[in-house]
Amino acid sequence: MYALLDTIDSPEQLRQLDRKRLPELARELREFLIESVSQTGGHLSSNLGVVELTIALHYVFNTPEDNLVWDVGHQTYPHKILTGRRAAMSGLRKPNGIAGFPRRSESPYDTFGTGHSSTSISAALGMAVAARLNGADNRSVAIIGDGAMTAGMAFEALNNAGAMDTNLLVILNDNDMSISPNVGALNNYLAKLLSGKLYHRMWRSGEKVLGVVPPVLEFAKRAEEHVKGMMTPSTLFEEFGFNYIGPIDGHDLDTLVATLHNIRRLKGPQFLHVVTQKGHGFLPAEEDPGKFHGVGKFDPRNGDSVSAAGRKTYTQVFGEWLVDMAAQDERLIGITPAMSDGSGMNAFAEQYPDRFFDVGIAEQHALTFAAGLACDGMKPVVAIYSTFMQRAYDQLIHDIALQNLPVVFAIDRAGLVGADGPTHAGSFDLSYLRCIPNMLVMTPSDENECRQMLYTAFRHDGPSAVRYPRGSGPGINVQAGMQAIPIGRGEIRRQGERIAILAFGSMLKPALEAAEKLGATVANMKFVKPLDIELVLQLAENHELLVTIEENAIMGGAGAAVLETLQSSGKVVKTLCLGLPDEFIEHGDHETMLRNCGLSPEGIISAIEKKLT
């Protein structure tokens, strides 16, 4: 089907191709990518944008000896296809299939596991230093973009790398601007020149050579930094100590290959600015790259989704509450670290633009920014994924909880997240939140409870968190109004005998189903902190076995809070804690993942019956 692509199973085979055939390969690779992702779902726009860049990198560099470190990692589908995993793409993000992000255990070409942003420069610098210490001549390349340069970690790494005489190449994949006239023939020519041997030698010794190059003759009497500064946004990166080259057209294979060939021979830290277009080569994705950032199955002919519409998601519940709450209280400020769409904040951003702040991929800043707002009377609401909240743990403790500031955390993607796998799973938030003084931690069991808990958190005079899972809830209708719920109080949802199941959040539904067959009592605990101690002791007094169940790591989680309560009260009762095991859980279907963790109704029943025998 693909005359050229079907012959490429490794970069070694790619490097045997005549350079003139690379555009043909790019066309076939893009066609395969669209067809493949239309069947599996996944990230599309970002991958379409790096087809040519990926081909050029593997064509020029001696991978896997040379290290390619892809930032975020959701732009690595072309990389996977060219490194022997083309046939495996049909199992992308499926159980026992390949991951949607680089995995060191998956391929020697995946030199560093990613999923969170802005780690590439630090990791590639470490590899470059290791090569120098080992006396090796291999190269390390960090490919960063798609907003990842907004994170402080990227600039920390640039600052460190620029002070070292290390052979590191940083490629800025700039896909947030169109290919404007300045990224054309003249600039491409200049990039080749600035990466060439002659210029580099002269640059090192302070010579001025641009005057002999006809396309830039008018700059002959200017200093080289003025030439580069007038034609390129080089100043910032050269201040960090990098030799800046670009910007160049990231879809021009001839320019990419020629420039990378030159750069590979250079010594010291190099910075190549490449301009690409998200969704390039697929019109629906070009017109709406955000829609095709992460997609389900779609029709490759027109981009139309073929996924059935489901119930209202928790993300939608949050987005609707945020708009309604903002209408009632002008102190509400919405903050997100580059996840406006994923967190359901777009409607709020449109209606209240002066009160909406997307701070970029800067979770630490987001939290301390919120703290500053709270200090002066605002009511910040930070919409953040559970896995990304981990990146701002010090700010949560030091800047917010220690000062007992009224900041609301709407924590999305709590628990397992299906196809995105362990890099994006929210497996630990109950454990890392409940140990922090002053924190209020709530776990809604359905959509309406989520809305009421968000309102409760907003009214609370201190830091609070409402954590909810990805996707839809059990289908409970959401009340239009808002009513605060009693803090630290759970409720009995089913009365039974012998066994009491204490369910937290999303686990209430399978707990109720299991209880029907077991004849068990079920409590919707609602709060992890403060825990309803009175209810726990009451259930311990009247039941033979207490079972806690949560979609969070068992270690240090809600079940541990119950055990601590029993221990401190001196109450002796048989207990069983169910939750996520002490391991990173691989990607797959969410329902299957829960079943494998023993968190389906059948798994709960089996574990309880085993405990009672």
Side-chain angles (χ1 to χ4, degrees):
M1 181 177 179
Y2 300 98
L4 192 53
L5 181 61
D6 287 346
T7 68
I8 306 298
D9 289 316
S10 70
E12 288 84 356
Q13 293 173 321
L14 168 63
R15 291 189 281 268
Q16 300 304 312
L17 286 180
D18 187 295
R19 185 162 151 181
K20 294 180 180 178
R21 301 199 68 188
L22 296 184
E24 179 187 351
L25 177 64
R27 178 185 58 77
E28 291 187 2
L29 178 54
R30 185 167 276 110
E31 290 177 2
F32 177 85
L33 185 62
I34 295 168
E35 180 64 32
S36 177
V37 177
S38 75
Q39 299 300 312
T40 63
H43 293 96
L44 184 63
S45 294
S46 55
N47 284 288
L48 290 173
V50 297
V51 167
E52 287 82 6
L53 178 59
T54 305
I55 290 172
L57 284 166
H58 281 294
Y59 191 75
V60 171
F61 287 90
N62 185 32
T63 55
E65 284 73 22
D66 289 334
N67 299 304
L68 301 184
V69 182
W70 296 88
D71 213 291
V72 182
H74 64 304
Q75 55 183 340
T76 53
Y77 296 1
H79 162 80
K80 288 176 181 275
I81 293 166
L82 293 175
T83 54
R85 287 168 279 181
R86 185 175 70 256
M89 287 293 290
S90 60
L92 180 74
R93 295 159 37 102
K94 295 179 181 179
N96 302 315
I98 61 174
F101 302 94
R103 297 283 299 274
R104 281 172 54 83
S105 60
E106 190 176 289
S107 169
Y109 294 94
D110 291 0
T111 61
F112 195 76
T114 53
H116 291 189
S117 82
S118 314
T119 61
S120 62
I121 303 175
S122 298
L125 177 61
M127 295 172 184
V129 170
R132 186 182 68 193
L133 294 174
N134 290 327
D137 192 37
N138 61 306
R139 298 305 172 104
S140 294
V141 182
I143 306 99
I144 185 169
D146 201 22
M149 284 297 292
T150 63
M153 185 175 178
F155 286 92
E156 292 172 12
L158 284 173
N159 185 54
N160 189 202
M164 297 185 185
D165 189 22
T166 302
N167 296 330
L168 171 69
L169 169 60
V170 175
I171 297 178
L172 173 58
N173 173 26
D174 183 352
N175 53 23
D176 289 326
M177 57 181 281
S178 62
I179 299 176
S180 53
N182 69 316
V183 187
L186 178 58
N187 229 70
N188 287 342
Y189 183 88
L190 181 63
K192 293 179 189 178
L193 170 73
L194 297 180
S195 63
K197 282 184 176 181
L198 173 61
Y199 177 83
H200 191 67
R201 275 200 308 271
M202 293 294 198
W203 178 70
R204 287 287 189 180
S205 62
E207 297 289 336
K208 313 298 189 289
V209 298
L210 291 182
V212 301
V213 183
V216 289
L217 187 59
E218 62 270 30
F219 296 112
K221 295 182 180 180
R222 299 180 186 270
E224 66 162 345
E225 59 269 22
H226 289 173
V227 175
K228 295 172 74 175
M230 289 184 67
M231 301 198 61
T232 66
S234 64
T235 306
L236 172 64
F237 302 107
E238 293 201 340
E239 287 297 323
F240 276 113
F242 282 76
N243 177 38
Y244 175 94
I245 299 161
I248 64 173
D249 184 348
H251 301 297
D252 183 335
L253 269 164
D254 183 65
T255 296
L256 282 169
V257 170
T259 304
L260 288 172
H261 265 303
N262 287 337
I263 291 175
R264 194 180 186 281
R265 294 192 290 262
L266 301 181
K267 302 294 183 182
Q270 310 294 321
F271 193 100
L272 175 62
H273 185 171
V274 174
V275 178
T276 61
Q277 179 187 29
K278 284 185 181 180
H280 187 75
F282 185 48
L283 185 59
E286 290 180 359
E287 294 177 339
D288 192 350
K291 176 182 176 182
F292 287 88
H293 172 73
V295 295
K297 294 181 180 181
F298 65 91
D299 188 334
R301 295 168 298 181
N302 53 30
D304 291 344
S305 173
V306 297
S307 301
R311 297 187 296 269
K312 181 176 292 188
T313 67
Y314 281 103
T315 301
Q316 291 172 317
V317 171
F318 164 71
E320 292 170 1
W321 169 81
L322 190 66
V323 171
D324 293 345
M325 193 71 245
Q328 294 185 26
D329 195 327
E330 63 182 13
R331 297 174 300 163
L332 187 152
I333 305 294
I335 302 169
T336 181
M339 299 306 297
S340 177
D341 184 52
S343 294
M345 298 186 76
N346 287 348
F348 172 81
E350 292 175 4
Q351 295 185 44
Y352 300 96
D354 293 340
R355 293 153 63 185
F356 168 72
F357 296 92
D358 183 343
V359 301
I361 303 177
E363 294 85 1
Q364 293 172 289
H365 164 62
L367 267 64
T368 304
F369 174 55
L373 285 162
C375 283
D376 272 13
M378 297 294 106
K379 296 281 287 186
V381 177
V382 179
I384 190 168
Y385 290 8
S386 173
T387 186
F388 300 145
M389 183 78 158
Q390 297 161 185
R391 310 188 86 182
Y393 196 55
D394 178 63
Q395 287 68 31
L396 174 60
I397 295 172
H398 183 273
D399 298 339
I400 295 176
L402 181 61
Q403 303 184 89
N404 200 28
L405 294 172
V407 177
V408 176
F409 295 98
I411 302 180
D412 204 334
R413 271 64 167 181
L416 301 176
V417 291
D420 280 340
T423 60
H424 283 60
S427 304
F428 313 109
D429 53 76
L430 294 184
S431 301
Y432 68 67
L433 289 172
R434 62 172 288 263
C435 65
I436 303 173
N438 294 332
M439 283 298 303
L440 173 66
V441 185
M442 292 176 273
T443 58
S445 62
D446 61 47
E447 300 90 333
N448 185 60
E449 200 166 74
C450 183
R451 181 179 173 92
Q452 310 315 321
M453 285 184 174
L454 287 164
Y455 179 64
T456 303
F458 189 78
R459 286 169 50 91
H460 180 64
D461 189 23
S464 56
V466 180
R467 62 96 74 169
Y468 43 89
R470 180 179 190 171
S472 59
I476 303 299
N477 290 330
V478 179
Q479 299 173 9
M482 288 180 274
Q483 183 175 0
I485 62 177
I487 290 178
R489 299 298 300 273
E491 62 178 354
I492 301 293
R493 291 291 297 269
R494 186 187 189 280
Q495 190 64 56
E497 299 178 350
R498 290 188 67 200
I499 306 161
I501 303 176
L502 287 66
F504 293 86
S506 60
M507 290 294 99
L508 178 62
K509 185 175 184 292
L512 286 169
E513 293 179 21
E516 286 296 321
K517 295 186 178 181
L518 293 166
T521 296
V522 176
N524 175 16
M525 296 304 295
K526 299 186 180 181
F527 292 84
V528 174
K529 188 174 187 177
L531 189 68
D532 191 338
I533 295 174
E534 181 180 338
L535 180 57
V536 171
L537 296 180
Q538 174 191 328
L539 293 170
E541 184 68 29
N542 301 319
H543 294 81
E544 176 185 337
L545 173 66
L546 291 193
V547 181
T548 66
I549 180 169
E550 61 193 297
E551 195 173 345
N552 184 83
I554 294 175
M555 298 181 71
V562 171
L563 296 179
E564 291 162 10
T565 296
L566 294 172
Q567 187 274 333
S568 63
S569 67
K571 190 68 178 177
V572 179
V573 62
K574 187 178 291 187
T575 58
L576 173 64
C577 293
L578 301 179
L580 303 181
D582 184 26
E583 61 187 61
F584 291 107
I585 300 167
E586 295 302 320
H587 56 271
D589 173 75
H590 183 242
E591 186 176 342
T592 302
M593 296 167 77
L594 287 177
R595 185 166 60 250
N596 292 341
C597 292
L599 298 180
S600 64
E602 296 76 17
I604 296 168
I605 293 169
S606 176
I608 290 174
E609 289 177 342
K610 182 178 180 181
K611 184 71 175 181
L612 289 173
T613 56

